[in-house]
């Protein structure tokens, strides 16, 4: 009996000790909810440029951009959006979610660290206001349980509306904004009571990951998050599906409120970057000295050059023919980096960060835009890896490519002209669209997104958007990533990752974080990278499109450069480099409105030229370093083959050793011989030659529908054959004769009839031999 008594006594003592230990573990130093409206200002952090010049002093939490408002000033849409997104049972729960407690315990048992979210609004308020920064940054079961206890106490001490108001006034929304009023000012330059449903839904989606969902830097991610918020509001019954859809398609305008800052787009990008690297809690704790890579002088020079050139486009007095109403161009972005280190030297996201009527706060260097022809070097570098050479000859002619949807894709050149047989050097330098698509079709569409990923680009992974059109910029890219991809060409094929922060120190000089090297391993053969550089710096090869002595030439040094313009003039680009500097420029409108007749050579090109000249002024001239393993071979200019006795003009071309041609240019004695000779010019992949007779209309795989409202007699399509040195041409349909012409071109109209139909052409060449064209198949439906 005594033994049982002793055991029971020790068990009781153990329980008491355990309870005390748990109590101390959980409740020691637990702040009182009475202090909910009090906070301690943290020391500010300072952001410097590469030479130690202050760019911005980040205010401590709740100072500067923090203006509490009363609940009546906050729109119902903001309250509903917040509750639907953060805590659907807010008005019913006791301040915590029992399921979240069990999940946290289970995760803690499994991994020793609380990785899951699920905190209620009250818990988030307790964590962000009552816990100190060190504990706030912890991801432990103890912190989770302590904030739950505090949440229960807060729920007992305050009404739900008071808690919601405190939350909305204190939570961090990114962009240095604490509370909804500061967020409304920071993103829209409006008061919170002026916001509509779409604007409120976007703000409500920010607190979980403000650095990721910041619409000024990643509008696409912000819009997807906004859609999630609207769907949750619909699910909870706060709005109708129709309300949600209208809000999703509403066009939002962004602005920023002026405050003392240099290089604001760069500073905000750095702040978001550090939020991801260090965590929001540590950043909010303050007391940091952040040393960046920016050259403030170059950044401000680039900004001034941008403004001057946009003003030039606005007044239109530099040209004889100005589009009616002007060029309609308001925005631009500039990114400059050192290809030897990856360090970003300049980042100008718009001409004026604080422009309230121009989406000035949107950072154009990280916005997703279509690159136009500036993506073509990635197509050609993949092609050179696959065995094509700068001397490979393809035919620039009207060509219909059948897509996976079965619809013909017919690319056109910028000037709507075709040039016949051209070599790839001229095709890339002069930016011929048809040849670029032919090259991608030859090596496979997937070659471009694979190359983009190798070079550090992350926006070519949508399988629904991958087709031959991406050779002409049909996808979307960031100027930052595209400029870094070009840097790999300047750096002998080594991948270049942009670096914006050198190191982060505490006020005591302790280094908390330092940058990894921006230069990675080689992702391209240095010889292949040099071929791209050699072509993009070849002023002679780009004369057919850009003329001699264009703005793509620098005054005293070689530079490799490529422009890009989308077909609807919504975007134009110029990206180029020397061994010491890479500069990328985008020109357009932040709201995606089309410009009027502004191309890469007239819009982005002059900005690129002036920034390069300003940045490199007074620096030594550096030639591009040519790697070993390249040879120069004299080839026939008309074919890219070794010069035969009939070759009238030769050029010296650069080849990777082993890829040079081995066949000679010969006079064609029959329609097949020239093609046969040209096919030996590339060791791994055949080149093409121009057929003497080709059917250019209709397009292969085209689908036509007969309109029952119109007379059948007027529903006709054109059938056309083109070529050279062919006479007595017959246009054929389903093996019957449609029309006859004495010479080329030969065309006729054919009345639509339901069914599948095959067209071709036949003629006689100068040697009296019969020649046939390609065959084209179309479908006609009722």
């Amino acid at each position: 009996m005594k033994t049982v008594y002793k055991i029971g006594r020790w068990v009781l003592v153990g329980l008491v000790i355990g309870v005390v230990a748990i109590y101390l573990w959980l409740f020691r130093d637990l702040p009182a909810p009475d202090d909910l409206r009090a906070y301690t200002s943290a020391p500010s952090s300072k952001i410097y440029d590469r030479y130690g010049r202050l760019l911005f002093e980040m205010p401590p939490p709740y100072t500067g951009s923090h203006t509490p408002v009363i609940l009546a000033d906050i729109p119902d849409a903001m309250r509903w959006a917040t509750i639907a997104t953060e805590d659907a049972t807010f008005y019913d729960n006791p301040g915590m979610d029992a399921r979240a407690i069990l999940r946290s315990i289970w995760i803690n048992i499994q991994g020793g660290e609380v990785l899951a979210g699920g905190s209620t609004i009250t818990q988030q308020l307790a964590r962000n206001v009552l816990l100190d920064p060190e504990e706030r940054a912890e991801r432990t079961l103890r912190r989770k349980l302590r904030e739950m206890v505090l949440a229960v106490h807060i729920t007992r001490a305050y009404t739900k509306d008071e808690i919601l108001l405190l939350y909305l006034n204190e939570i961090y929304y990114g962009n240095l904004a604490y509370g909804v009023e500061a967020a409304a000012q920071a993103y829209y330059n409006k008061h919170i009571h002026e916001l509509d449903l779409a604007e409120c839904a976007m703000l409500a989606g920010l607190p979980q990951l403000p650095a990721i969902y910041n619409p000024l830097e990643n509008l696409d991610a912000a819009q997807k998050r906004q859609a999630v918020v609207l769907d949750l509001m619909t699910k909870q019954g706060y709005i109708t599906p129709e309300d949600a859809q209208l809000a999703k398609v509403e066009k939002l305008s962004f602005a920023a409120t002026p405050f003392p800052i240099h290089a604001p787009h760069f500073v905000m990008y750095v702040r978001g970057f550090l939020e991801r690297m260090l965590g929001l809690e540590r950043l909010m704790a303050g007391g940091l000295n952040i040393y960046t890579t920016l050259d403030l002088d170059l950044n401000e020079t680039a900004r001034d050059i941008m403004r001057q050139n946009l003003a030039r486009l606005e007044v239109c007095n530099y040209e004889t023919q100005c589009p009616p109403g002007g060029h309609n161009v308001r925005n631009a972005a500039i990114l400059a980096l050192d290809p030897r280190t990856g360090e970003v030297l300049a980042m100008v996201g718009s001409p004026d960060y604080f422009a309230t009527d121009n989406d000035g706060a949107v950072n154009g260097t990280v916005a997703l835009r279509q690159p136009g022809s500036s993506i073509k070097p990635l197509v050609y570098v993949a092609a050179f890896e696959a065995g094509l050479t700068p001397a490979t000859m393809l035919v620039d002619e009207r060509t219909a490519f059948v897509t996976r949807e079965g619809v013909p894709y017919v690319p056109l050149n910028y000037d709507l002209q075709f040039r016949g047989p051209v070599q790839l050097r001229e095709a890339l330098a002069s930016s011929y669209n048809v040849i670029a698509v032919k090259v991608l079709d030859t090596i496979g569409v997937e070659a471009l997104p694979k190359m983009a990923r190798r070079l550090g680009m992350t926006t070519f992974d949508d399988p629904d958007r991958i087709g031959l059109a991406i050779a002409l910029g049909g996808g979307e890219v960031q100027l930052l990533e595209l400029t870094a991809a070009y840097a790999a060409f300047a750096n002998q094929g080594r991948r270049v990752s942009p670096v914006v922060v050198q190191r982060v120190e505490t006020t005591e000089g302790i280094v908390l974080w330092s940058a990894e090297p921006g230069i990675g391993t080689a992702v391209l053969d240095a010889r292949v990278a040099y071929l791209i550089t050699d072509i993009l710096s070849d002023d002679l090869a780009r004369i057919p499109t850009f003329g001699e002595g264009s703005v793509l030439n620098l005054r005293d040094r070689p530079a490799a450069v490529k422009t890009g313009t989308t077909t609807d003039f919504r975007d134009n680009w110029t990206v180029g480099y020397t061994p010491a500097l890479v500069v990328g420029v985008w020109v357009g409108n932040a709201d995606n409105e089309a410009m009027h007749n502004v191309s890469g050579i007239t819009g982005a090109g002059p900005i690129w030229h002036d920034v390069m000249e300003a940045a490199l002024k007074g620096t030594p001239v550096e030639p591009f370093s040519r790697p070993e393993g390249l040879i120069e071979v004299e080839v026939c200019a008309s074919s890219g083959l070794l010069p035969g006795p009939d070759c009238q003009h030769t050029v010296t071309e650069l080849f990777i050793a082993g890829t040079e041609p081995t066949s000679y240019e010969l006079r064609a004695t029959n329609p097949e011989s020239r093609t046969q000779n040209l096919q030996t010019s590339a060791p791994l992949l055949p080149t093409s030659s121009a057929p003497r007779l080709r059917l250019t209309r209709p397009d292969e795989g085209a689908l036509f529908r007969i309109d029952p409202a119109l007379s059948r007699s007027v529903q006709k399509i054109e059938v056309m054959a083109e070529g050279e040195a062919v006479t007595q041409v017959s246009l054929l349909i389903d093996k019957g004769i449609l029309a006859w012409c004495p010479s080329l071109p030969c065309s006729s109209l054919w009345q639509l009839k339901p069914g599948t139909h095959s067209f071709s052409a036949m003629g006689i060449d100068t040697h009296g031999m019969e020649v046939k064209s390609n065959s084209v198949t179309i479908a006609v439906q009722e």
Side-chain angles (χ1 to χ4, degrees), residues 237-402:
Y238 291 117
I239 60 175
T240 66
E242 292 74 20
D243 293 333
Q245 184 57 33
L246 287 173
K248 289 177 183 178
V249 299
E250 180 180 323
K251 182 179 176 181
L252 300 182
S253 296
F254 300 100
T257 303
F259 51 87
I261 189 172
H262 294 289
H265 290 100
F266 179 77
V267 166
M268 294 304 172
Y269 182 84
V270 165
R271 196 188 189 288
F273 170 79
L274 291 175
E275 199 170 302
R276 296 188 294 271
M277 293 297 103
L278 303 178
L280 176 59
E281 290 80 7
R282 180 60 192 89
L283 201 59
M284 289 174 63
L288 302 177
N289 289 321
I290 301 152
Y291 299 95
T292 73
T293 62
L294 191 85
D295 182 337
L296 180 57
D297 288 340
L298 177 59
N299 199 79
E300 294 188 341
T301 298
R303 179 203 61 200
D304 293 343
I305 289 171
M306 174 193 294
R307 291 174 176 175
Q308 292 163 7
N309 279 274
L310 289 178
R312 169 181 58 82
L313 289 169
E314 182 180 1
V315 297
C316 271
N317 60 7
Y318 72 100
E319 56 186 345
T320 56
Q321 294 184 346
C322 180
H327 286 293
N328 191 42
V329 53
R330 301 181 294 275
N331 290 94
I334 300 171
L335 195 288
L337 60 79
D338 186 337
R340 299 164 299 193
T341 64
E343 293 186 344
V344 173
L345 304 176
M347 175 187 280
V348 185
S350 78
D352 182 2
Y353 181 86
F354 298 108
T356 59
D357 59 346
N358 200 25
D359 291 332
V362 174
N363 188 345
T365 69
V366 292
L368 289 175
R369 308 292 302 209
Q370 290 195 347
S373 294
S374 63
I375 201 67
K376 286 178 184 174
L378 277 68
V379 176
Y380 283 85
V381 76
F384 293 158
E385 282 192 340
L388 274 70
T389 75
T392 298
M393 190 274 285
L394 294 177
V395 182
D396 182 18
E397 61 181 350
R398 189 177 190 278
T399 306
F401 300 87
V402 179

Side-chain angles (χ1 to χ4, degrees), residues 39-81:
Y39 57 87
T40 302
S41 295
S44 62
S45 294
K46 296 179 176 63
I47 300 179
Y48 300 95
D49 86 336
R50 66 188 302 111
Y51 301 114
R53 291 171 290 196
L54 182 65
L55 300 177
F56 183 60
E57 183 171 350
M58 290 195 296
Y62 316 117
T63 62
S65 300
H66 182 232
T67 307
V69 293
I70 61 174
L71 197 59
D73 287 338
I74 300 175
D76 288 342
M78 189 68 211
R79 298 162 64 181
W80 297 335

Side-chain angles (χ1 to χ4, degrees), residues 556-591:
D556 61 355
R557 68 191 71 219
V561 58
K562 184 73 188 72
T563 64
T565 305
T566 55
T567 54
D568 52 8
F569 292 110
R570 294 186 189 277
D571 304 275
N572 72 68
W573 307 66
T574 300
V575 185
Y577 55 93
T578 67
L581 182 67
V582 189
V583 171
V585 178
W586 165 83
V587 170
N589 292 311
D591 61 3

Side-chain angles (χ1 to χ4, degrees), residues 21 72 113 133 155 161 193 261 356 364 384 452 459 513 541 561 693 763:
E113 182 182 18
T155 304
D161 281 350
H193 68 265
I261 189 172
T356 59
F384 293 158
T459 58
W513 184 91
V561 58
L693 181 63

Side-chain angles (χ1 to χ4, degrees), residues 91-357:
Y91 278 105
D92 300 319
N93 65 49
M96 63 180 182
D97 185 343
R99 288 176 300 178
I101 297 175
L102 296 176
R103 185 168 63 249
S104 296
I105 293 174
W106 175 246
I107 293 174
N108 193 75
I109 291 172
Q110 284 188 313
E113 182 182 18
V114 177
L115 301 174
S119 296
T120 65
I121 284 175
T122 316
Q123 285 175 246
Q124 293 180 56
L125 182 64
R127 177 172 67 247
N128 288 308
V129 176
L130 294 178
L131 298 183
D132 61 52
E134 288 74 18
E135 184 174 3
R136 200 182 306 150
E138 295 175 0
R139 303 178 69 86
T140 63
L141 178 61
R142 177 178 181 270
R143 192 217 72 189
K144 195 80 172 178
L145 293 175
R146 279 163 64 85
E147 73 180 37
M148 288 178 179
V149 171
L150 286 171
V152 171
H153 288 321
I154 291 171
T155 304
R156 291 174 179 173
Y158 299 87
T159 67
K160 286 290 186 176
D161 281 350
E162 287 176 326
I163 293 170
L164 180 61
L165 178 61
L166 283 166
Y167 176 87
L168 291 172
N169 274 327
E170 303 299 328
I171 202 69
Y172 180 61
Y173 286 90
N175 206 36
L176 305 178
Y178 297 88
V180 289
E181 174 65 15
Q185 292 285 343
Y187 291 103
Y188 305 117
N189 199 28
K190 296 180 180 180
H191 294 293
I192 184 62
H193 68 265
E194 298 175 310
L195 302 192
D196 63 14
L197 172 60
E199 293 166 329
C200 288
M202 183 160 285
L203 287 190
L206 294 177
Q208 284 194 13
L209 291 170
I212 301 298
Y213 299 134
N214 183 349
L216 304 182
E217 294 186 356
N218 194 342
L219 183 58
D220 183 60
Q223 288 174 329
K224 290 177 180 177
R225 177 64 174 164
Q226 178 200 42
V228 170
V229 173
L230 291 166
D231 289 341
L232 289 172
M233 294 178 73
T234 303
K235 181 180 179 181
Q236 299 297 325
Y238 291 117
I239 60 175
T240 66
E242 292 74 20
D243 293 333
Q245 184 57 33
L246 287 173
K248 289 177 183 178
V249 299
E250 180 180 323
K251 182 179 176 181
L252 300 182
S253 296
F254 300 100
T257 303
F259 51 87
I261 189 172
H262 294 289
H265 290 100
F266 179 77
V267 166
M268 294 304 172
Y269 182 84
V270 165
R271 196 188 189 288
F273 170 79
L274 291 175
E275 199 170 302
R276 296 188 294 271
M277 293 297 103
L278 303 178
L280 176 59
E281 290 80 7
R282 180 60 192 89
L283 201 59
M284 289 174 63
L288 302 177
N289 289 321
I290 301 152
Y291 299 95
T292 73
T293 62
L294 191 85
D295 182 337
L296 180 57
D297 288 340
L298 177 59
N299 199 79
E300 294 188 341
T301 298
R303 179 203 61 200
D304 293 343
I305 289 171
M306 174 193 294
R307 291 174 176 175
Q308 292 163 7
N309 279 274
L310 289 178
R312 169 181 58 82
L313 289 169
E314 182 180 1
V315 297
C316 271
N317 60 7
Y318 72 100
E319 56 186 345
T320 56
Q321 294 184 346
C322 180
H327 286 293
N328 191 42
V329 53
R330 301 181 294 275
N331 290 94
I334 300 171
L335 195 288
L337 60 79
D338 186 337
R340 299 164 299 193
T341 64
E343 293 186 344
V344 173
L345 304 176
M347 175 187 280
V348 185
S350 78
D352 182 2
Y353 181 86
F354 298 108
T356 59
D357 59 346

